[in-house]
Amino acid sequence: MAETATDSSPDRGGLVLTALILVAAVANLNLAVANVALPDIGKAFDSSQTTLDLIAVGYSLGLAASVIYLGGLGDRYGRKLMLVLGVSLSVPACLLAAYAPSDVVLAGARILGGLSAGMAYPTTLALITALWSGAPRTHAIALWSGLGGAISSLGPLLSGLLLQHFWWGSVFIVTLPLAVVALVLAVLFVPSHVNEGTDPVDHMGGVLSVLLVAALVLAINFAPVPNRARLTLVLAAITLVAAAAFVVRQRSYRFPLYDLRVASRRIFWVAALAGIIVFGTLMGAMFVGQQFLQNVQGYSTFEAGLSILPAAVFMVLVAPRSATLVDAYGARVTLLIGYACCLLGFLVMLLLWNEGVGYWAIGLAYALVGAGVGFAGTPASHSLTGSVPVSKAGMASGTADLQRDLGGAIMQSILGALLAAGYASAFSAKIAASPQASQISDATENSLIKSFSSAETLAQRYPQHSSAITAAAKSSFLDGAHWAYTAGVIAILLGAAIVFFLFPGKNDETRLLDAYRRHDTATEDEVV
């Protein structure tokens, strides 16, 4: 809803906000823990790069696909109820992932975990929107955004530490103690039934939204896989049909799940798109970076996790200053500062991240991306919640969550697809140029181009060729990674252009938010 002149906070606001941040932390940690373990998972199951991509993106997929629908259910039937159910369901989902007997089951467990987060995570921002107003809301969102992102960045560090001593599945149970604490605090301190709606839930729209997002993400993941062209086309067709049906449903149904009239507001849709790109760059950087550090640089899992710490530190340091910038200069300027930092981070990756590069370049890239997300996260979420009526808080918070999770799913899928395609293309070219090309069987070639971990396994079987195979795999991985970094740079530039040309400046932003608030108040009075 638009900012009002009154600043207000709930009773025991510190405890309430702590509970909401911890619930979000469970989702954020589960979102981030898989990346460090991907090389170990690949070795354990001899997984293809595409399967590893699905394991990495599965949690984001489950969360992004369900968050709009489940946010609507929370608006109607109780946000606290959805929050408690989601945190509770995360426990069996984590256990299933930790003890998965195959990589396919693991991918499914990650999707289930994302669905549990889809219940809990959107309610955190919806409750902040409903319980706080004015400047306290801006600062509460800044803490929620900054600490949430920082906790997500700490996931790889905790995972790396566990992988030094335990099996790959240990990374998926690291959040269980935190889930218990979050659940207790939520039950005790989070208020029930705050500004919730009474309109019926659009279940058909919810199913279409799930189908739309799931088909889109899966189509991106399968696009570069050999012999999967038909599947990719089917998924793309499902995406288009579901998108068209969803739009028709939301425009014609009296109680739409996702109010397209509100979503068409300039502050809302530009902020949504801006957030999708900026949060996606963070997840994409972690996804490709963790594999680069372990596969090419030879970092241990702990060292690889520790390397991300600058991102977490800068997100925590920058987030409160981001709220101050929003108040002083508006969301547009703050978003552009965030985009500039993300762009510099990806340029460092593209130009400097080669085999043997010093840690200074790795830490610098992560620090820049972390600062970028810290600057941009607050205005992106603040603009969404500020441009909708309080009765649509679930829609706004669901969209804010989509920024992170659909952005992460899409960017990881695109970057992962380019990584897989670039790796396979480069390795195939090396095989074709090799003097021993005629002696390499199709089965061996398929293993070499399948993924880095598959090539590494093959190198262990043939110690006489181990050095050559490993060197070719590292070189091919770097080629694929450069494809991914280039795509990241392009995405950031496009997002920055959209914000620069289409997001209003501070005075126009204030005027538009006031107009939205007056319109929403008048509409609610007419209904009453």
Side-chain angles (χ1 to χ4, degrees):
M1 84 184 193
E3 294 281 331
T4 64
T6 304
D7 292 351
S8 64
S9 302
D11 294 336
R12 297 183 295 185
L15 288 172
V16 175
L17 186 59
T18 298
L20 296 176
I21 289 174
L22 287 179
V23 170
V26 174
N28 281 317
L29 272 177
N30 280 324
L31 185 66
V33 293
N35 287 333
V36 177
L38 288 178
D40 286 354
I41 293 169
K43 294 173 187 175
F45 297 116
D46 190 26
S47 303
S48 68
Q49 184 64 49
T50 299
T51 303
L52 292 177
D53 294 348
L54 288 172
I55 291 170
V57 81
Y59 196 89
S60 295
L61 169 59
L63 181 46
S66 65
V67 71
I68 294 296
Y69 188 20
L70 296 177
L73 290 175
D75 278 351
R76 175 63 180 85
Y77 297 112
R79 296 173 187 135
K80 180 175 180 177
L81 173 64
M82 296 298 291
L83 184 148
V84 170
L85 288 176
V87 177
S88 300
L89 182 59
S90 71
V91 174
C94 288
L95 291 173
L96 179 60
Y99 296 99
S102 70
D103 50 8
V104 174
V105 174
L106 175 55
R110 293 285 290 163
I111 294 173
L112 178 63
L115 291 173
S116 73
M119 294 182 183
Y121 193 51
T123 62
T124 57
L125 185 57
L127 283 164
I128 290 174
T129 304
L131 293 169
W132 280 264
S133 65
R137 180 197 292 172
T138 303
H139 290 278
I141 291 174
L143 286 172
W144 174 86
S145 177
L147 290 177
I151 290 169
S152 177
S153 296
L154 289 175
L157 174 61
L158 296 174
S159 300
L161 185 61
L162 287 171
L163 290 169
Q164 293 283 84
H165 305 286
F166 304 102
W167 88 114
W168 59 264
S170 62
V171 304
F172 297 111
I173 57 177
V174 68
T175 58
L176 293 185
L178 185 62
V180 173
V181 174
L183 183 61
V184 171
L185 289 177
V187 170
L188 292 177
F189 299 115
V190 174
S192 301
H193 307 298
V194 180
N195 291 323
E196 291 166 358
T198 57
D199 293 341
V201 177
D202 179 14
H203 295 291
M204 181 180 293
V207 172
L208 288 171
S209 71
V210 171
L211 189 61
L212 165 60
V213 174
L216 172 62
V217 173
L218 290 174
I220 295 172
N221 275 274
F222 283 111
V225 181
N227 303 318
R228 289 290 185 270
R230 181 176 297 178
L231 175 60
T232 301
L233 290 175
V234 169
L235 289 168
I238 292 173
T239 301
L240 294 174
V241 172
F246 181 76
V247 170
V248 170
R249 173 70 176 180
Q250 299 313 293
R251 288 190 178 280
S252 60
Y253 189 56
R254 183 181 176 189
F255 304 104
L257 178 72
Y258 199 82
D259 193 331
L260 296 180
R261 289 168 296 182
V262 172
S264 66
R265 292 173 174 178
R266 185 152 59 109
I267 289 180
F268 187 96
W269 76 261
V270 176
L273 185 57
I276 284 173
I277 294 173
V278 78
F279 286 118
T281 61
L282 172 66
M283 300 308 299
M286 289 186 175
F287 170 65
V288 178
Q290 285 299 299
Q291 295 179 76
F292 163 74
L293 292 175
Q294 294 183 57
N295 292 341
V296 177
Q297 294 293 88
Y299 279 31
S300 69
T301 54
F302 178 70
E303 290 170 336
L306 187 63
S307 70
I308 296 179
L309 198 57
V313 170
F314 274 81
M315 269 190 272
V316 172
L317 292 176
V318 163
R321 289 157 181 79
S322 174
T324 303
L325 284 172
V326 170
D327 290 337
Y329 301 105
R332 180 173 178 264
V333 169
T334 314
L335 279 168
L336 289 173
I337 292 173
Y339 265 90
C341 292
C342 288
L343 177 62
L344 291 173
F346 263 75
L347 286 173
V348 170
M349 296 177 205
L350 176 63
L351 299 175
L352 300 179
W353 279 23
N354 294 302
E355 185 176 2
V357 68
Y359 176 72
W360 68 270
I362 295 165
L364 176 61
Y366 279 133
L368 287 167
V369 173
V373 175
F375 277 120
T378 298
S381 299
H382 174 271
S383 296
L384 289 175
T385 57
S387 57
V388 303
V390 71
S391 61
K392 300 290 184 181
M395 171 184 166
S397 62
T399 306
D401 297 335
L402 272 178
Q403 290 181 130
R404 295 170 182 264
D405 304 302
L406 183 57
I410 289 176
M411 288 296 286
Q412 282 187 99
S413 297
I414 292 174
L415 269 56
L418 289 169
L419 173 63
Y423 171 85
S425 175
F427 216 134
S428 295
K430 287 178 172 59
I431 292 172
S434 171
Q436 291 83 31
S438 60
Q439 303 172 23
I440 299 175
S441 67
D442 290 343
T444 299
E445 181 174 353
N446 289 336
S447 294
L448 291 171
I449 67 174
K450 182 179 179 182
S451 66
F452 185 96
S453 59
S454 182
E456 197 172 45
T457 300
L458 196 65
Q460 294 172 357
R461 290 187 207 160
Y462 300 99
Q464 69 274 27
H465 302 299
S466 176
S467 297
I469 292 174
T470 301
K474 287 184 177 181
S475 176
S476 300
F477 184 92
L478 285 173
D479 284 352
H482 287 151
W483 287 22
Y485 302 144
T486 301
V489 168
I490 294 171
I492 293 168
L493 288 173
L494 288 174
I498 291 170
V499 172
F500 182 81
F501 289 108
L502 297 177
F503 202 92
K506 186 176 188 301
N507 292 334
D508 285 342
E509 179 186 6
T510 302
R511 177 181 57 78
L512 284 172
L513 289 174
D514 286 342
Y516 298 156
R517 177 174 56 82
R518 290 194 301 271
H519 175 272
D520 295 334
T521 301
T523 302
E524 289 172 359
D525 289 343
E526 288 177 6
V527 172
V528 173

